[in-house]
């Protein structure tokens, strides 16, 4: 699935990285506010869906080489966080939906959690 | 690449916003040197975990990367309070992280186990009251750079 389809499915605003939405492929999603789990279990071609907006979310995504971050409940990061994401080619989206709804919608659309089957 | 390239960065312990800057620089340097992408990713994750630890637990420290044609050696050292029980700290779920770190999404007790998982060789030495030194070696498993 292209990142553009994810954006449309979630009714998400694009905070940065508009030019990559039609080229980046997404295979799985990872819904979590625990960056420790993302670092341990995240995979490439994964979008991170989270309620956190601090700069460490962006750095976690960069180190783990995720393909995008979706902020839930319309939470917005500081401008400096968006600028850093832009510099790394990491698209950022913001949706009004809560985390549970985002994960359910993505799963129904064929994007399973890359953390599926793991103990909480 | 026949020589060893050495990079060293100080990580201040009083500024959580800067956590990850050293790891990002190491990652960028490895990409420029042509280290295989899968290895770069493992180095970045392991180094970032260790960098977070020295900032959260040790009041800062130093990240050093030594890159040769065959491998990358990461050394993360600090002069913090040290780890009283290393075997316990290596268990997934064991954490002494402060509340602010948990609110930022860290402190689940997965850092040291993840460093072990990412690296090909892992070593940790710690003395209470003196500090901790972590070394991780990542084999490039490819032709010379």
């Amino acid at each position: 699935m292209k990142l553009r389809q994810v954006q449309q499915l979630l009714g998400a605003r694009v905070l940065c990285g508009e030019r990559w939405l039609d080229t980046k492929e997404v295979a799985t999603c990872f819904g979590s506010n625990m960056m420790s789990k993302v670092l341990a279990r995240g995979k490439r071609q994964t979008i991170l869906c989270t309620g956190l907006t601090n700069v460490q979310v962006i750095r976690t995504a960069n180190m783990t080489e995720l393909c995008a971050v979706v902020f839930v409940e319309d939470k917005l990061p500081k401008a400096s966080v968006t600028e850093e994401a832009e510099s790394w080619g990491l698209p950022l989206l913001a949706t009004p939906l809560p985390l549970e709804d985002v994960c359910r919608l993505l799963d129904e659309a064929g994007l399973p959690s890359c953390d599926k089957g793991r103990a909480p | 690449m026949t020589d060893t390239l050495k990079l060293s960065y100080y990580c201040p312990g009083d500024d959580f916003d800067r956590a990850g800057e050293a790891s990002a620089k190491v990652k960028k340097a490895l990409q420029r040197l042509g280290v295989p992408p899968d290895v770069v990713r493992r180095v970045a994750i392991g180094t970032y975990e260790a960098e977070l630890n020295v900032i959260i637990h040790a009041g800062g420290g130093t990240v050093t990367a030594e890159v040769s044609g065959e491998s990358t050696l990461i050394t993360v050292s600090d002069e913090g309070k040290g780890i009283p029980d290393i075997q316990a700290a290596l268990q997934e779920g064991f954490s002494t992280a402060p509340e602010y770190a948990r609110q930022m999404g860290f402190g689940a007790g997965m850092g040291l186990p993840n460093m072990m998982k990412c690296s090909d060789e892992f070593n940790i030495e710690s003395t209470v009251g003196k500090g901790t030194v972590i070394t991780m070696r990542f084999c490039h498993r490819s032709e010379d750079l």
Side-chain angles (χ1 to χ4, degrees), chain B residues 58 78-86 124-134:
Chain B
D78 67 66
E79 297 179 355
K81 58 191 176 190
I83 303 171
D85 187 342
I86 290 177
I124 179 168
E125 293 177 11
S126 188
T127 305
V128 173
K130 290 193 173 175
T132 302
V133 179
I134 287 174

Side-chain angles (χ1 to χ4, degrees), chain B residues 2 10-11 26-27 33 37 43 47 53 58 88 94-95 116 119 140:
Chain B
T2 52
Y10 176 67
C11 310
V26 169
K27 181 180 179 186
L33 289 167
V43 173
T47 308
N53 272 0
F94 180 89
S95 176
M116 290 172 69
S119 57
H140 295 167

Side-chain angles (χ1 to χ4, degrees), chain B residues 10-28:
Chain B
Y10 176 67
C11 310
D14 55 355
D15 191 353
F16 199 65
D17 278 357
R18 294 189 59 188
E21 289 183 359
S23 306
K25 287 174 184 167
V26 169
K27 181 180 179 186
K28 196 169 275 185

Side-chain angles (χ1 to χ4, degrees), chain A residues 35 40 44 56 59 62 64, chain B residues 16-17 19 27 38 48 105 117:
Chain A
M35 297 305 108
R44 288 189 172 111
Q56 301 306 337
R59 292 185 187 153
N62 181 34
T64 320
Chain B
F16 199 65
D17 278 357
K27 181 180 179 186
D38 286 351
Y48 183 48
K117 188 182 86 176

Side-chain angles (χ1 to χ4, degrees), chain A residues 9-28:
Chain A
L9 182 70
L10 301 178
R13 275 195 287 162
V14 183
L15 306 180
C16 72
E18 171 78 38
R19 62 189 176 283
W20 296 302
L21 298 197
D22 294 312
T23 54
K24 285 212 177 195
E25 279 284 345
V26 188
T28 56

